[in-house]
Amino acid sequence: MSWQTYVDDHLMCDVDGVQLTAAAIVGQDGHVWAQSSAFPQFKPEEISNIVKDFDEPGSLAPTGLYLGGTKYMVIQGEPGAVIRGKKGAGGITVKKTAQALIFGIYEEPMTPGQCNMVVEKMGDYLIDQGL
């Protein structure tokens, strides 16, 4: 199965009538494995800052998480495993696997919990596969 299928079928899936605004699977080196059409064009340093926060939890909190130039306020996550961010009526969830970062971006009416469930379920699956 291609990485694009994971994004299209498993991240951009319907959850109680809503779905993510955008999603992607990005290698920890910043290379995009697959992404939805609406996923923002990001800068390499944005990915390296996110990876750094997984290694040094809390490093993004003072400045915020930036992706595609959009700033998200970092909120409660799981140090070294999940980063969650909020911006207005939407937000972002990033799950770290052995080799990749799984991104989910949402807007209302999707809830933070629905976004977390979709992204973290995919991340846990990839971790189980050694990826």
Side-chain angles (χ1 to χ4, degrees), residues 19-91:
Q19 70 179 37
L20 293 171
T21 307
I25 303 173
V26 179
Q28 291 183 28
D29 60 2
H31 285 89
V32 176
W33 295 7
Q35 64 185 11
S36 66
S37 59
F39 194 75
Q41 182 68 41
F42 57 83
K43 297 181 181 91
E45 60 268 19
E46 292 174 332
I47 300 299
S48 54
N49 288 339
I50 292 167
V51 170
K52 179 183 177 193
D53 191 80
F54 282 115
D55 296 334
E56 301 170 25
S59 65
L60 283 179
T63 59
L65 182 159
Y66 284 86
L67 187 70
T70 300
K71 180 180 180 179
Y72 296 89
M73 180 179 69
V74 177
I75 56 175
Q76 158 271 336
E78 297 167 28
V82 179
I83 300 170
R84 298 184 183 104
K86 189 88 174 117
K87 181 183 186 319

Side-chain angles (χ1 to χ4, degrees), residues 13 15 23 25 40 81:
C13 61
V15 180
I25 303 173

Side-chain angles (χ1 to χ4, degrees), residues 10-11 13-20 110 114-115 117-118:
H10 301 288
L11 290 173
C13 61
D14 188 77
V15 180
D16 300 327
V18 295
Q19 70 179 37
L20 293 171
M110 181 172 249
Q114 289 169 319
C115 177
M117 181 191 70
V118 170

